[in-house]
Amino acid sequence: MAKLVYLILLLLFLLIPVYGSTFYLGLDVGVLDSFIADGNRVSFDFGYRFDEFRISLPVSYSFCLDDDISALDAALRVDVYPFKGIDLFFGVDALRYLRFFGLASPKERNVFLSSISIGYTFSLPYCYIEPRFIAQDPARMNENETSILDDHFPFYFDYYAQLLIGVRL
């Protein structure tokens, strides 16, 4: 697992030009409602945008207070801004990995998922606000794993909205 993360980070820094690019670091405030439910979730996103492309590493950690189960969800997402001057984007996960932890974890703890998204980036001086709509596992290839997520984490949905608030570096 560690080798895969190092490989992804190495590819990010080798393939991305530095000139005319912007780093993004955001926190998903849309998951604050999960603290009201049975479980909790913390989610953030680190991105690198150049011209009409952005490569980001969204990471979230979910844990259930009633059961002994938690999940670490990390992805390599590619967003495309197809319209010049408009910050509307379409995104797809190039790689998405979920790892279960705890006694209530399923037998297969490693899961590869996918998702697609659409959103808009509101740029402010030194910060940004980004609402996006995400469809998880649109091809329905991992119904067993997503049912486990539904059972233990009431805030994991097939379709959900995300609101990132962060800084541009």
Side-chain angles (χ1 to χ4, degrees):
M1 172 62 189
K3 290 181 182 180
L4 179 65
V5 172
Y6 291 131
L7 178 66
I8 291 171
L9 290 175
L10 179 67
L11 286 174
L12 277 176
F13 291 113
L14 290 177
L15 297 176
I16 299 174
V18 177
Y19 179 74
S21 60
T22 307
F23 287 100
Y24 289 84
L25 180 62
L27 178 68
D28 182 12
V29 297
V31 298
L32 293 178
D33 64 342
S34 71
F35 286 93
I36 298 169
D38 291 340
N40 294 317
R41 184 176 184 185
V42 178
S43 179
F44 66 93
D45 190 289
F46 177 72
Y48 192 80
R49 182 175 174 184
F50 53 98
D51 294 330
E52 62 268 355
F53 294 102
R54 180 175 56 188
I55 296 176
S56 62
L57 296 168
V59 176
S60 67
Y61 181 71
S62 306
F63 55 96
C64 186
L65 298 175
D66 295 337
D67 300 332
D68 185 21
I69 188 169
S70 60
L72 179 66
D73 188 357
L76 177 63
R77 179 175 292 150
V78 178
D79 296 327
V80 177
Y81 293 81
F83 307 112
K84 201 72 159 169
I86 300 175
D87 284 338
L88 176 74
F89 65 87
F90 301 97
V92 65
D93 289 342
L95 175 69
R96 185 169 176 195
Y97 174 75
L98 187 131
R99 167 82 176 168
F100 288 105
F101 299 97
L103 296 175
S105 297
K107 185 183 287 186
E108 181 58 43
R109 292 178 181 240
N110 301 314
V111 180
F112 289 95
L113 296 172
S114 64
S115 67
I116 56 174
S117 61
I118 184 172
Y120 192 87
T121 304
F122 295 99
S123 295
L124 304 169
Y126 302 108
C127 62
Y128 71 100
I129 299 171
E130 188 173 277
R132 70 171 60 198
F133 181 74
I134 299 174
Q136 291 193 110
D137 196 26
R140 300 283 184 248
M141 295 179 65
N142 297 318
E143 289 190 21
N144 185 32
E145 288 82 2
T146 55
S147 68
I148 293 169
L149 287 171
D150 292 340
D151 291 343
H152 293 287
F153 304 109
F155 47 85
Y156 247 100
F157 301 112
D158 291 340
Y159 305 98
Y160 65 96
Q162 185 179 47
L163 181 63
L164 290 174
I165 296 179
V167 295
R168 291 183 301 148
L169 307 171

